[in-house]
Structure formats: C-alpha cells, structure tokens
Amino acid sequence: MFNRQTTTFLKQRMEEAGIRPVSKFGQNFLIDLNLVNMIADSANITKQDVVVEVGTGTGSLTGLIAQKARQVITVEIDQNLWQLAQEELASFSNITFLQQDALRNKNNLSPVLLDTIRSEMAKTEGTRLKLVANLPYNIATPLITNLLTLDDITPTSMTVTIQKELAERIIARPGTKEFGALSLWIQAQCNPEIVRIMSPKVFWPRPKVESAIIHIETDFNKRGRIPDLPYYHRFVRNLFIHRRKLLRGVLVSIFKNQLTKQQIDNILEGINLTGNVRAEQLAVPVIFELCERFRQTQQSEN
Ligand code: SAM
C-alpha cells in the first residue's frame, strides 16, 4: 500500500481525481520512499505520541506515521487532496483529517487545529506531541516558530522537511551570516540537527531549491530557564531587525521611551559588553543573559 508515493502513482492518482499539483500551496511531493521512511524514523514515534502533520498531500507520510503513533492529526489546505488522502487511508482508525489552513495568521496557529490537539492530548496522561511533516515551504518558519510559543502543548520534537537555507539558519552558529533571530529562538530551547540534505530531484514536481530534513528536539531544561518566553521572542526578533547596526544603537532604538541610555550602558557594562559589537557576533548564552538583564531592569521599573 505504500507505493503511493512514486511519480507514476502520484500522476495517475491525481489524473484520476482530475487534479494537478498546485504550486501556491507548495505541493512538491516526496517521491523517494526511503526519504519518506527516513522522516518517520528520525521522529522516533511511539504509541505515546500524538503526531501533527501539516500538509497531508496524498497521505504517504501520514500512513507511515499512523502505523507508529497513537493518533495522527493531519492538516491539509487543499480540499481535493484532503478528500483523496482520506480515500487512500480509509483503513486507519487513528487519523484525524482536518481541511484547514494550519495557520490563522503569521503569528497564530489555526484555532481548530489547536483545539483538536488539546482534546487529543487530554485523552491520555503522558501523551507527547510531535510535529512530523514534509512542510509547505511558505509556512515553515511561522509554523515551527509558533509551535514553540505554546506552553500547554509544547512539542517534544519537530521532524520536518524544509528549505535547506532555512535549516541552515536554524542551526547557524554566531558570527555566520545565517545566524539570527530564528537561530536564537530555536537554539535557546531546542537542539536542532540536520538529518539529510535533499536534492530537488527527490520531489515531484521539482522545487527550485535544495531541501533538508531537520530534527528539532525540545530541551525542556533549556526552555525552563527562559522566564518569559514572549519577552525573549520579541527581544531576539528586534535585535536582528537592523543586523548591520552596532549593538548599543540597536538597543537604544528598541528601548527608546522605555529605558535611558545610561540604563542601557549599565546593563552592557554589567555583562562586560562594549556595545560596539553586532548582535550576530554574540554567543547564544550571552544574548540570553542580555535579554534577562533588560527584562529585570524593566520589571523593576514597573
Ligand atoms: N505530505 C506530502 C508529501 O510528503 O509528499 C505533501 C507535502 S507538500 C510539500 C505540502 C502540502 O501542504 C501540500 O499538500 C499542500 O497542499 C499543503 N499545504 C500548503 N499550505 C498549507 C497550509 N497553510 N495549511 C495546511 N496545508 C497546507
């Protein structure tokens, strides 16, 4: 039954259903079964897991996940594919098919998706949440980012196919051009690793860019050390809006009308920073410490 992801199968099945891949939905189907298996295997799925998949497509990855997980919640924006995947996967009883945009907007996930996850998680104590997907590239960043803002349903891991360039930004080290707000947001609370780089050839239709399977394991100890996640999130995003500017100038403009230049200089001195560096040169723990000093200073002001 899992031959469903060869190019021949996909072409035939879509022709039968009278549909074609829609590029605005990022419909690039993975046609290498070994790689579909690699995504599912890298996610270490167990019967304790509720797995969310964004982008059901024709359901090949969905079926593999369903064999391993307690429950799969799969979301597909395209009504035709949503229909088709349900026909393909009719023999499974542990898949919830949602026909939805997985995002409500850039900063929020779909409320229906969130409600479905919450009610599924509440059924069994000790359930873990995982994201496993071959993601539509245009929503990969907001999806991964927003899932990590949720306190009650934090995923224990995310194993996804994304653009290679995005994967490189997620794992980037300080001092590189890829290092930025996304690297800091994810590395402060997770351990990300690239599992595999993939050529456009393994997709039908072929995308223009290379892709990567990335496994992002949440580190709950690290995450627990961030006292105010939304504050940290805003701080790192603001820090990189003008990435070529020197740190002191950036901080002065972020905290304009909130803190004096003297207060900002005191914070910098307090952690031995001159301010004549760029944020992209600082190590993750240093930025974390900097954020914390700002948070505490602002808290003591109120
Ligand atoms: N899982 C399939 C596979 O591995 O071949 C399909 C992956 S394809 C890269 C991405 C899928 O996400 C497409 O089926 C597309 O229609 C769907 N999609 C695109 N945007 C979406 C959105 N905002 N919410 C939910 N699904 C979306």
Side-chain angles (χ1 to χ4, degrees):
M1 75 178 296
F2 290 107
N3 285 335
R4 65 164 60 95
Q5 202 74 353
T6 60
T7 320
T8 317
F9 168 83
L10 283 169
K11 283 186 177 161
Q12 265 176 13
R13 190 65 183 86
M14 291 183 93
E15 205 173 290
E16 238 174 69
I19 56 179
R20 285 159 182 258
V22 181
S23 67
K24 74 167 177 195
F25 290 149
Q27 289 178 4
N28 304 100
F29 304 98
L30 203 43
I31 49 170
D32 183 328
L33 281 177
N34 291 328
L35 293 173
V36 182
N37 274 304
M38 188 181 282
I39 301 173
D41 288 346
S42 310
N44 304 317
I45 302 165
T46 72
K47 286 288 169 195
Q48 273 185 304
D49 298 333
V50 167
V51 176
V52 171
E53 181 194 29
V54 173
T56 319
T58 55
S60 63
L61 180 58
T62 325
L64 278 182
I65 302 168
Q67 289 178 335
K68 299 168 186 259
R70 173 162 79 66
Q71 183 70 28
V72 184
I73 301 167
T74 185
V75 195
E76 174 55 59
I77 198 167
D78 182 328
Q79 187 172 10
N80 292 321
L81 288 179
W82 171 73
Q83 188 73 44
L84 192 152
Q86 285 180 84
E87 289 164 17
E88 290 298 317
L89 299 168
S91 60
F92 288 92
S93 58
N94 62 340
I95 306 179
T96 308
F97 294 90
L98 299 178
Q99 197 242 310
Q100 287 281 298
D101 187 332
L103 293 177
R104 182 172 71 182
N105 54 40
K106 208 165 83 56
N107 298 319
N108 290 286
L109 297 170
S110 139
V112 175
L113 173 59
L114 288 176
D115 287 351
T116 312
I117 297 174
R118 288 197 171 100
S119 73
E120 209 41 72
M121 300 284 291
K123 284 183 188 163
T124 317
E125 214 174 307
T127 301
R128 290 176 311 190
L129 179 67
K130 290 181 176 163
L131 174 72
V132 183
N134 173 16
L135 288 177
Y137 292 165
N138 59 334
I139 68 162
T141 304
L143 188 82
I144 294 172
T145 304
N146 293 331
L147 263 175
L148 287 174
T149 60
L150 306 170
D151 273 335
D152 60 333
I153 47 169
T154 315
T156 58
S157 67
M158 302 187 274
T159 310
V160 288
T161 301
I162 55 180
Q163 276 190 30
K164 178 181 159 217
E165 173 265 330
L166 178 60
E168 284 169 345
R169 279 168 46 210
I170 291 175
I171 63 157
R173 308 314 302 173
T176 62
K177 68 178 189 333
E178 291 81 15
F179 186 67
L182 184 66
S183 335
L184 278 161
W185 173 239
I186 296 192
Q187 291 175 29
Q189 45 184 326
C190 304
N191 300 317
E193 55 165 342
I194 291 181
V195 177
R196 177 70 167 250
I197 302 290
M198 296 187 295
S199 123
K201 282 190 213 150
V202 301
F203 296 93
W204 176 78
R206 287 187 190 181
K208 291 195 175 67
V209 293
E210 282 187 295
S211 305
I213 302 173
I214 190 165
H215 178 75
I216 303 172
E217 188 85 24
T218 307
D219 182 330
F220 286 91
N221 285 329
K222 273 199 210 170
R223 188 178 157 91
R225 279 184 233 127
I226 308 177
D228 185 339
L229 272 167
Y231 188 97
Y232 178 73
H233 199 190
R234 275 196 308 278
F235 185 82
V236 295
R237 278 203 296 207
N238 287 332
L239 214 48
F240 283 88
I241 287 176
H242 305 289
R243 61 182 297 140
R244 299 307 301 157
K245 258 174 120 178
L246 294 177
L247 182 64
R248 183 175 181 274
V250 174
L251 292 169
V252 168
S253 68
I254 297 176
F255 293 99
K256 190 173 57 179
N257 306 330
Q258 297 173 59
L259 295 175
T260 63
K261 288 186 182 165
Q262 188 56 57
Q263 283 175 306
I264 293 173
D265 288 337
N266 290 345
I267 293 175
L268 286 169
E269 272 167 33
I271 52 171
N272 297 323
L273 279 176
T274 64
N276 289 328
V277 286
R278 294 192 172 81
E280 67 195 31
Q281 297 166 283
L282 302 179
V284 179
V286 176
I287 292 184
F288 181 73
E289 183 59 32
L290 187 66
C291 171
E292 218 10 52
R293 298 279 176 125
F294 273 97
R295 193 184 70 84
Q296 284 169 7
T297 307
Q298 288 202 293
Q299 222 173 28
S300 65
E301 292 273 296
N302 297 326

